[in-house]
Amino acid sequence: FRTTDGEAQIVAVRQGLGMTTLPCFIGDADPLLVRVPGTELHMYGTLWLLTQGETRKTKRVRLFTEFVSRRLAAHAPLLAGLSVSREATGQP
């Protein structure tokens, strides 16, 4: 079974039809899914926040980009698959 649709992948894996590669913050939040032991994927990437031309100098855009940058930095371990967010899993 192959699909490029992320939601279909999750449904298939929940039904026991194999395994898939998911961002950890999605897979870890699902109680029906577990990480496959001994399979460490080293998928690295860079997240870019782009603005259009001179708009990056406006106060509202600058405040927004600073806000998003701080939030992403605060969740860096979760996004890198190093920790499980209680908020993402719904646990207290």
Side-chain angles (χ1 to χ4, degrees), residues 3-85:
T3 180
T4 57
D5 182 278
E7 188 171 341
Q9 290 173 353
I10 293 171
V11 170
V13 170
R14 283 182 185 146
Q15 297 298 316
L17 296 176
M19 60 183 166
T20 188
T21 302
L22 296 171
C24 293
F25 63 90
I26 293 174
D28 289 344
D30 191 320
L32 297 176
L33 303 179
V34 295
R35 293 186 186 194
V36 176
T39 56
E40 290 203 23
L41 296 176
H42 299 286
M43 301 177 80
Y44 300 98
T46 303
L47 183 63
W48 288 68
L49 182 59
L50 303 176
T51 60
Q52 186 176 9
E54 294 296 311
T55 60
R56 72 177 170 270
K57 296 178 182 177
T58 64
K59 185 174 183 176
R60 70 176 183 270
V61 172
R62 186 173 34 78
L63 290 172
F64 175 75
T65 57
E66 290 170 2
F67 169 79
V68 169
S69 295
R70 284 192 307 272
R71 295 293 297 195
L72 288 172
H75 293 288
L78 176 65
L79 295 171
L82 301 175
S83 70
V84 178
S85 167

